[in-house]
Each structure stands twice: as C-alpha cells, then as structure tokens.
Amino acid sequence: MLPEALICLLNVALAFAQTQQALPLNALASFTPSNTPKPPVLSLPTSSNLSVTVALCSSGNNPRFFVTNSSDAIPGSSGGKSVFEITLKDGYGNWTGPFRDGGVLAIEDVGQSSFELGVSEQGPIHEILPNLPLLGDTTSNQALLFSPAFAISQNDKPTYPNYTLPPANASLPEPPSDIPNFTLFVSPTSSLTPLPQSGCMLSSQNSTGTVVNQSLWLKDKQGWRTQWLLEALTPATNYTAYVVKDRTKVSGPINFVTKSATFACPLVFGLPYCPNVAYTVPLPPPTGAGSNTYTAANIPAEITTPLLSYLTNFTTSLTSFACGRDWYSPLVGCDDCQREYRRWLCSITFTRCGEPSPANPDSFTRSLPAPTATGLSALQPKDKNNPTAPQKVFSALIPQASDISKARSPNLPAMGSQYSMLLPCIEICTAVDRACPSLVGFTCPTVQFNAAASYGVGYTDSADGDEGQGVTGGPQDRWGNIWCNG
Ligand SMILES: *[C@@H]1O[C@H](CO)[C@@H](O)[C@H](O)[C@H]1NC(C)=O
Ligand SMILES: *[C@@H]1O[C@H](CO)[C@@H](O)[C@H](O)[C@H]1NC(C)=O
Ligand SMILES: *[C@@H]1O[C@H](CO)[C@@H](O)[C@H](O)[C@H]1NC(C)=O
Ligand SMILES: *[C@@H]1O[C@H](CO)[C@@H](O)[C@H](O)[C@H]1NC(C)=O
Ligand SMILES: *[C@@H]1O[C@H](CO)[C@@H](O)[C@H](O)[C@H]1NC(C)=O
Ligand SMILES: *[C@@H]1O[C@H](CO)[C@@H](O)[C@H](O)[C@H]1NC(C)=O
Ligand SMILES: *[C@@H]1O[C@H](CO)[C@@H](O)[C@H](O)[C@H]1NC(C)=O
Ligand SMILES: *[C@@H]1O[C@H](CO)[C@@H](O)[C@H](O)[C@H]1NC(C)=O
Ligand SMILES: *[C@@H]1O[C@H](CO)[C@@H](O)[C@H](O)[C@H]1NC(C)=O
Ligand SMILES: *[C@@H]1O[C@H](CO)[C@@H](O)[C@H](O)[C@H]1NC(C)=O
C-alpha cells in the first residue's frame, strides 16, 4: 500500500505527462504564437538515436531550446543531468543522441516566435547543406544560377564490342524522376537584414528579381542541377543568394555581382552539345521576339556547324583507337577523352566576356601579352617598396577592341562593341591532355611557352602544374569573384 501523499504526487506527474503535446517522429512540426503550447513544453519519442532540429521562422525574439533524454524533468537554463541546450546559429540548431526513455523539449523566452521542430531517426530534418549554389554568370541585369548538384547522371559507360560514343550533336539524357523542390532566394547584399537564415524564414521573404526560366540542367560530371535565369536586377550590385531544398535544408549563401550598365555581352546557355556553356559571350544582341539570351533555339548556325564538325571529326579519329579494348589507361577511356575535348572545344569556341570584380577593380592584364611574353602570373607582382603587402589576384581578363581580334574565336559574328575577354582556365586544357590517348596528339601550351597568353594559369593548379596548389583554388569563389573560365 503506497502512502497517500505519494499517490497524489504520482497522479500529478502522470497528469503533467499527459498534458504534454508529443512531437511526431520523422516529421516536421510548425509552431506560431497561436499553436505553441503554454507552457512551451513538448515530449519526444523513444528512440536509440534521434536528431532534434530547430529552425526559427521569425525574428525579434531570441528563444532558447532545451532537451533532456530523461523524461522526468523539464529541461531549462538551470541545467541539470542529461539536459542539453540546442544552440542556434543563423536561426538553426540541432542535437542528436539516444532517447532510450523518451525525452522532453522545453523553450524559454519563446515570446511571439514562430519556429519549426524536426524530430527524426533518419538524419536531421533541418540542415545547412555542405554544397553551395553555383553562379553561371551575370549581365548588367540578369543572373544565371544553379542549385547544388543533386543526382549523378546514370549514363552507362560504353563497352566493347558495341563501343558507341555520344554523337557530336548530343542531347541531354533523361533527367532523374526524384527531383528535390528547390527554391531560390536572392537579395541585394546591402539590404540583407541579419535575419535567421533558415528555410522557413527565407521561403517567407520576397526574393529580388524575376525567375524567367527554371529548368533542369546537366552542366558537368557533378550531376543534375536546377537552373534559374533571373532578370530585373540592378547593374553593378552585389547580391546574396540562397537555395532552399524542400523548405527545410539551406544551401549558401553565395554572392554574385551584376555587370556595369554598359556591359553588352549576352548570356548563352542551354546548349545540349555544350552543356558547360552558361556564361556571357561577345555576340550581337539576340534577335527574335522576347529573347535577350542565346539558347539552342537561336544560337547562330555559323557557330554551331563548324563546332559540331570539329567534334564529329575528332570522335571519328578517336574511335579508330582501340576504345574499350586495349585501354590506353586504366583510369580513363575514350568517353572521358571525348567529354573533355567537348568541354575544351566549347570553351574555346564560345569566348567568355568578363569585367573586373568591384572588390578588385584593377585586377586585370590591360593589354594582350606578346606571344613571347613569359613570367605572366595570376598574382600581382610584389610591391618592391612594401614587400610584405598581400599580393592582389589578377583575373585572366584581356580587353578587346570591337573588331575581331586574332585571339578571339574565328567563328563568332562581330559584336560591334568593346569587351573584355575572360580566358579559359588552363585546367580545361590539361584535362583533355590527361584523358586522351597521346596518339590523338593533343597538347597544351606550357607556362615556359607563354600559356598565360591564351589561358588563365595558376588559379586552380599552380603555375608549375601542381594540382590544387593555385592561388585561388578554383575558377571562381563564393564571394562573386570570377578568375578564369573554368
Ligand atoms: C549541428 O550543430 C552543430 C553546432 O551546434 C554544427 O556544428 C553541426 O554541423 C550541426 N549538424 C548538422 C548535421 O547540421
Ligand atoms: C542521454 O544522452 C546522453 C548523451 O548522449 C547519453 O550518454 C545517455 O545514455 C542518454 N540517456 C538515455 C536514457 O538515453
Ligand atoms: C545517429 O544518427 C545520425 C544522423 O543520422 C548519424 O550521423 C549518427 O552516426 C547516428 N549515431 C549512432 C550512434 O547511430
Ligand atoms: C550499341 O549501343 C547503342 C547505344 O548504347 C545502342 O543504341 C545500339 O542499339 C547498340 N547496338 C547494338 C548492336 O547492340
Ligand atoms: C542537333 O539535333 C537537333 C535534334 O536533336 C536538331 O534539331 C538540330 O538541328 C541539330 N543541330 C545541328 C546543328 O545539326
Ligand atoms: C515546392 O515548394 C514551393 C514553396 O515552398 C511550393 O509552393 C511548391 O508547391 C512545392 N512544389 C512541389 C512540387 O512540392
Ligand atoms: C512581399 O511583397 C508583397 C507585395 O509587394 C508585400 O505585400 C509583402 O509585405 C512583402 N513581404 C515581405 C516579407 O517583405
Ligand atoms: C529554359 O531554358 C532551357 C534550357 O536550359 C530551354 O530548353 C527552354 O526552352 C527554356 N524555356 C523557356 C520558356 O524559355
Ligand atoms: C571534318 O572532316 C570532313 C571530311 O573529312 C571535312 O570535309 C571537314 O572539313 C572536317 N571538318 C573540320 C572542321 O575540319
Ligand atoms: C559582395 O559582398 C560581400 C559581402 O559584403 C563581400 O564579401 C564580397 O567580397 C562582395 N563580392 C564582390 C565580388 O565584390
């Protein structure tokens, strides 16, 4: 027989446990001031490994979230055994651990907050994704942006005896069926208030610009991405972009900068035979109703016909090698060689335009280097008077007169105005060199013989060719600087 006082106490505890709203397992729960329990205490399910995630959907309050995996106490800032605070950073927080006897989540200073709670045995529901969105390029008022890659292309490697390479005029393979729901959020960097950068917060804000085309694109080996063409942006403005996946997972931020108002090169993208071309090219303004970009539908045949002819002839001579039988390398095959050659040919045919980065306005080579010039570098020469000053990075930009220069692709029709050419990164060339059998006779210029007159050298790989040892580690960075066409 239990003493009466203890029975009363047990009843209180039971009644208390029953009044707690339970958070559902493997689901998202959204709370606003009107449906937040009072007091703000919720029970957690029993599990050997639970990820509890928090996303703030409002600003103004700074609520604190506490969990315990012992079910007999309300966790809070007073601490205690098995009490853990879910600390928030940019409006996002997580805690993962065992809840063998269930648990309790309690909120302090909840005020008028809106928030989401995710409770899952299958990994965190809210997440900051490790992969960033990708900038294609900008004009004065447009931007071409990509989500992080979400699915590798399931193209089977060709095998002997039926070793068939994609035709020169290739089309994109079938896109995957399981496509994440990506939304793009863009804001001028200067007017970005320090809000929680959670999926629910970003999804509730007005994004700048107008998305005029959203499609799926297989830009490179990394896989399928969602592609956005954004218009109605302001010239010479620094923007911040996030991509939200399924409303709960956030990729970014990245910065990008629109070109100055006089920038005249149009965007070229959506060419299935040149999937990596997603940038501005020195071409006359596109003609045709409502189009201010070039895609497969309006790209001049005087560019594509010779390009596809070169690619067809290259593929023909490549398949005369023993593709798929006597491997010229255990690591790469004819398909890799054709893919890298295609990427190189497209980058050479479609000259890229550029502009000095506002963050680094003097950083470009002002005149075309002489073919015999040596010692060109991605880095500004050291200041003799101030040898410890950090060296600026030069973009691989070369100003061009409006007439066709000999450095420019001979098949492009004249644009009729001045522009700056952004050289292809040398890594585009060395990738062909590495992937192709030496018998095809493809060679890249070396630094000793002035590779830097026609390629951006020293950005991803060092000027001596050491992989990944260059000054920027890539052709562009997440802050909106573009160093070479890669
Ligand atoms: C969980 O939060 C910690 C910081 O509290 C963070 O370092 C970690 O990346 C987060 N984990 C995930 C999966 O988001
Ligand atoms: C509570 O979490 C701590 C830390 O992860 C763990 O050591 C402990 O075993 C957990 N207790 C229960 C009852 O799950
Ligand atoms: C718990 O789940 C997380 C996320 O799914 C996982 O990373 C972690 O390895 C798991 N821990 C244990 C002990 O199973
Ligand atoms: C060879 O492969 C191609 C593409 O994979 C396919 O279309 C064709 O039918 C195959 N031919 C034979 C004879 O198997
Ligand atoms: C490439 O193929 C498409 C159909 O897949 C066709 O419409 C187009 O005319 C071809 N382009 C060239 C330049 O042959
Ligand atoms: C994707 O998310 C947006 C915004 O949250 C929503 O409006 C849309 O209906 C969703 N689409 C799909 C296919 O789930
Ligand atoms: C978004 O734009 C609409 C219409 O311009 C406006 O009514 C609304 O208040 C804006 N929302 C936010 C969060 O700025
Ligand atoms: C959108 O862009 C794709 C190329 O990525 C193109 O095939 C499609 O026709 C475009 N859609 C519109 C409506 O312009
Ligand atoms: C491709 O080969 C054909 C036939 O040999 C030739 O007529 C054509 O000029 C070649 N194309 C290019 C771009 O060299
Ligand atoms: C854009 O703005 C961000 C934040 O102020 C800055 O870090 C970045 O360098 C800027 N990008 C460029 C290209 O100026």
Side-chain angles (χ1 to χ4, degrees), residues 137 141-147 172 182-184 186 208-217 225-232 267-271 290-298:
D137 205 355
N141 59 3
Q142 296 164 309
L144 191 65
L145 294 158
F146 296 89
S147 73
L172 284 195
F182 285 117
T183 37
L184 176 66
V186 172
T208 310
T210 316
V211 173
V212 295
N213 187 336
Q214 175 169 348
S215 52
L216 289 175
W217 198 249
R225 301 168 186 269
T226 294
Q227 171 186 265
W228 292 275
L229 176 61
L230 200 61
E231 292 190 347
L267 277 169
V268 177
F269 68 102
L271 308 179
S291 72
N292 48 13
T293 55
Y294 283 102
T295 63
N298 62 349

Side-chain angles (χ1 to χ4, degrees), residues 314 318 328-329 331-334 336-345 425-447 451 455 461 464-465 467:
F314 181 82
L318 180 62
Y328 51 85
S329 152
L331 296 174
V332 289
C334 292
D336 300 296
C337 170
Q338 191 211 33
R339 185 193 61 239
E340 296 305 332
Y341 180 80
R342 183 191 293 276
R343 190 162 80 107
W344 173 83
L345 185 65
C425 307
I426 187 85
E427 291 78 14
I428 290 202
C429 190
T430 43
V432 188
D433 212 351
R434 287 192 192 120
C436 291
S438 53
L439 279 171
V440 301
F442 187 94
T443 49
C444 297
T446 61
V447 175
Y455 289 97
D461 298 345
D464 301 333
E467 278 183 57

Side-chain angles (χ1 to χ4, degrees), residues 227-250:
Q227 171 186 265
W228 292 275
L229 176 61
L230 200 61
E231 292 190 347
L233 301 175
T234 307
T237 303
N238 187 323
Y239 288 91
T240 301
Y242 291 88
V243 168
V244 180
K245 181 185 176 191
D246 299 329
R247 235 185 101 83
T248 52
K249 297 181 165 53
V250 176

Side-chain angles (χ1 to χ4, degrees), residues 306 309-310 313:
S309 173
Y310 275 119
N313 291 5

